[in-house]
C-alpha cells in the first residue's frame, strides 16, 4: 500500500503474557535481577512503546492503543532521542532525509505529523536508524512481545553458555551439552509453545533461535 497504512489489527495479549512468563522463568534459572530484565526504559527503547504503557502491559492492564499516525510519531520521536550521532547530538531533518532517500520537505512533514507515512517511508527510516522492520508501526503489545522475545533469545544463549561451561568432559556418560540444555529447558515445552504461535513467521523465529543455540553449543573444532 502506498497511500498509508491498512487498518490496525488487534493483537491478542495472551502471546505477550506467555512471553513474559518464559522470560521470567529463564531469568530465575540464571539468577538475573527481574528489575534489570524487565527494565522499563530498556524495553521502551527496544520496542518503541512508551515506558508507562510498557508498565501497564507487563501488569496485564489495558493501556489503550494509539492510532497508527500517533504511534508512528511517538516512535519516531523516541528514535530521534535515543539513536543519536556519535557526538551525542540528534540527527537533523536533513540527515534523516538524506539517509532515508527522501527530500527534506518530506522528512519534515513526516516528523511534524503533517503527512501520513507510507510503508516505504517507514522502511527507509527504520533502515536509517538501524532498527528492525515494523518498529514504527507494530501494535504496542506486539512490539513489546517482540522486544521480550529478543531478551529471551539472549537469555537462552546465556543459558546455553552456562550449560557448556559446566558440562563434564566429552567422554563422560552425561551426553551432549545441547541435549542437556534442551532437557533442562524442556524440549516438549519448546515444541508445545511453538505449536501455539499464530503464524509461520513466529515459528520461523523459533527455528532461527534454535539454530543459533545449536551453533553456540557445538564443540570447538580442533
Amino acid at each position: 500500500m502506498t497511500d498509508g497504512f491498512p487498518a490496525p489489527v488487534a493483537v491478542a495479549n495472551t502471546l505477550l503474557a506467555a512471553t513474559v512468563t518464559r522470560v521470567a522463568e529463564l531469568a530465575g534459572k540464571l539468577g538475573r535481577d527481574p528489575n534489570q530484565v524487565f527494565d522499563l526504559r530498556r524495553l521502551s527503547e527496544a520496542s518503541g512503546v512508551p515506558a508507562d504503557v510498557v508498565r501497564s502491559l507487563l501488569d496485564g492492564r489495558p493501556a489503550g492503543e494509539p492510532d497508527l499516525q500517533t504511534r508512528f510519531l511517538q516512535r519516531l520521536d523516541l528514535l530521534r532521542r535515543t539513536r543519536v550521532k556519535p557526538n551525542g547530538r540528534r540527527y537533523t531533518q536533513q540527515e534523516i532525509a538524506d539517509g532515508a532517500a527522501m527530500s527534506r520537505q518530506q522528512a519534515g512533514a513526516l516528523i511534524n505529523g503533517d503527512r501520513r507515512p507510507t510503508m516505504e517511508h517507514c522502511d527507509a527510516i527504520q533502515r536509517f536508524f538501524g532498527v528492525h522492520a515494523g518498529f514504527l508501526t507494530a501494535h504496542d503489545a506486539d512490539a513489546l512481545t517482540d522486544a521480550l522475545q529478543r531478551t529471551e533469545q539472549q537469555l537462552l544463549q546465556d543459558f546455553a553458555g552456562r550449560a557448556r561451561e559446566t558440562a563434564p568432559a566429552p567422554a563422560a556418560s552425561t551426553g551432549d551439552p545441547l541435549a542437556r540444555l534442551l532437557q533442562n529447558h524442556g524440549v516438549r515445552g519448546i515444541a508445545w509453545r511453538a505449536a501455539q504461535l499464530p503464524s509461520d513467521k513466529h515459528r520461523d523465529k523459533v527455528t532461527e533461535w534454535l539454530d543459533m543455540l545449536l551453533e553456540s553449543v557445538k564443540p570447538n573444532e580442533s
Side-chain angles (χ1 to χ4, degrees), residues 36-57:
Q36 294 181 354
V37 174
F38 293 101
D39 179 75
L40 298 183
R41 180 178 177 180
R42 181 186 66 81
L43 288 175
S44 176
E45 292 185 4
S47 65
V49 179
D52 59 329
V53 177
V54 172
R55 175 76 277 169
S56 295
L57 291 172

Side-chain angles (χ1 to χ4, degrees), residues 135-173:
F135 184 95
L136 291 168
T137 59
H139 217 264
D140 281 348
D142 202 15
L144 181 57
T145 299
D146 190 68
L148 283 170
Q149 286 175 341
R150 292 194 297 275
T151 297
E152 181 181 21
Q153 177 183 359
Q154 183 59 58
L155 291 174
L156 281 169
Q157 290 176 331
D158 294 347
F159 195 83
R162 175 178 292 186
R164 185 171 63 250
E165 290 171 1
T166 59
S173 60

Side-chain angles (χ1 to χ4, degrees), residues 97-121:
D98 292 342
M102 62 180 70
S103 70
R104 186 181 183 282
Q105 289 73 23
Q106 283 181 311
L110 291 170
I111 291 170
N112 295 327
D114 297 328
R115 177 173 181 171
R116 281 181 62 85
T118 65
M119 296 306 293
E120 288 82 359
H121 290 144

Side-chain angles (χ1 to χ4, degrees), residues 132 145-147 149-150 153 197 200-211:
H132 59 275
T145 299
D146 190 68
Q149 286 175 341
R150 292 194 297 275
Q153 177 183 359
L197 294 175
D200 289 339
K201 176 182 176 182
H202 293 91
R203 282 183 283 274
D204 287 343
K205 281 190 176 182
V206 174
T207 301
E208 179 183 344
W209 296 344
L210 288 176
D211 286 341

